[in-house]
Amino acid sequence: HGRAIGMPRVESVTEGVEMTRLCEQNSVKRIILLPGTHYLNQTVNLNQGDSNIRIVGQKGAVISGGVPLDSLKWKKVSDMDGVYVTSINAHLPNGITGLMVNGKRAIRARYPNAVPETSMFPEGYILNSTKWGMPKYKGKPCDPNDFCGQSKTIVQEATDAWHGMWTNFSMGYGGSCDRFDPPQSVWCSSN
């Protein structure tokens, strides 16, 4: 048990790691993340000398490798119902590999429409006008908001400390995963 030494507030996780490296080598060091999203603009490289660092988030603290896209000006595409476009001026060296809207994963626009949870490689393209119908599960129309078939979710809790914010692993079985062999996927999980 050592005494707590007050450290100055820093602006990033990387700065916090650099600050802890100035402390005594074998002492336990904590970086406490306040509530909010802490964006990383580069990889945080830890080495053997960082073994005693504990990065602890208060409730509501999130570490994100994403880039915030604030103040976007959306325009409706006049001849397409529900389609909007915007220009993104942020520096995105890896492009847009994923998109979160209000903390939830969003599906990026594409044609033909596809949902990666159910079809990673959709076949064919729609060449003529078409009308979307209700999806079917086991031959009957179903509610897509209900995953079209309830899967059984099994959660494997992680008990070791290194998992950080990813403390549980969820797997869905059956239900909307019936089309897979074996009939399971993390995307069918209710979590």
Side-chain angles (χ1 to χ4, degrees):
H1 296 112
R3 65 185 179 89
I5 299 174
M7 298 300 282
R9 182 176 284 188
V10 295
E11 296 298 317
S12 69
V13 174
T14 303
E15 277 186 63
V17 170
E18 292 299 323
M19 185 68 69
T20 64
R21 289 176 177 160
L22 300 174
C23 298
E24 184 181 319
Q25 180 70 23
N26 293 325
S27 64
V28 174
K29 297 154 270 204
R30 277 199 181 93
I31 299 170
I32 300 173
L33 301 177
L34 298 175
T37 303
H38 302 270
Y39 293 99
L40 300 178
N41 59 5
Q42 62 187 20
T43 301
V44 177
N45 293 306
L46 301 174
N47 57 48
Q48 185 177 357
D50 298 318
S51 295
N52 289 327
I53 293 177
R54 304 290 183 264
I55 300 175
V56 180
Q58 292 181 348
K59 184 174 181 155
V62 174
I63 296 176
S64 173
V67 175
L69 300 174
D70 299 321
S71 304
L72 296 177
K73 306 265 191 246
W74 291 93
K75 295 179 188 172
K76 185 174 183 343
V77 176
S78 62
D79 61 339
M80 300 181 80
D81 189 34
V83 177
Y84 294 81
V85 297
T86 191
S87 294
I88 298 174
N89 297 322
H91 176 65
L92 303 170
N94 298 318
I96 298 177
T97 57
L99 186 62
M100 302 288 283
V101 176
N102 297 325
K104 294 186 179 181
R105 180 178 172 202
I107 297 170
R108 296 174 291 159
R110 57 161 293 149
Y111 186 85
N113 279 336
V115 178
E117 282 83 358
T118 58
S119 178
M120 285 188 74
F121 306 105
E123 295 180 20
Y125 291 89
I126 300 170
L127 301 175
N128 301 318
S129 65
T130 187
K131 181 178 169 186
W132 294 105
M134 286 293 290
K136 293 184 179 181
Y137 175 68
K138 295 190 176 181
K140 297 179 183 175
C142 65
D143 179 1
N145 297 313
D146 196 28
F147 292 110
C148 289
Q150 286 297 307
S151 301
K152 178 180 179 185
T153 298
I154 296 178
V155 177
Q156 174 68 45
E157 292 188 24
T159 56
D160 52 337
W162 75 267
H163 275 80
M165 66 184 251
W166 305 106
T167 55
N168 297 327
F169 174 77
S170 297
M171 178 69 75
Y173 295 89
S176 55
C177 272
D178 280 345
R179 65 184 60 136
F180 303 127
D181 184 16
Q184 66 187 43
S185 172
V186 295
W187 300 116
C188 298
S189 164
S190 62
N191 297 333

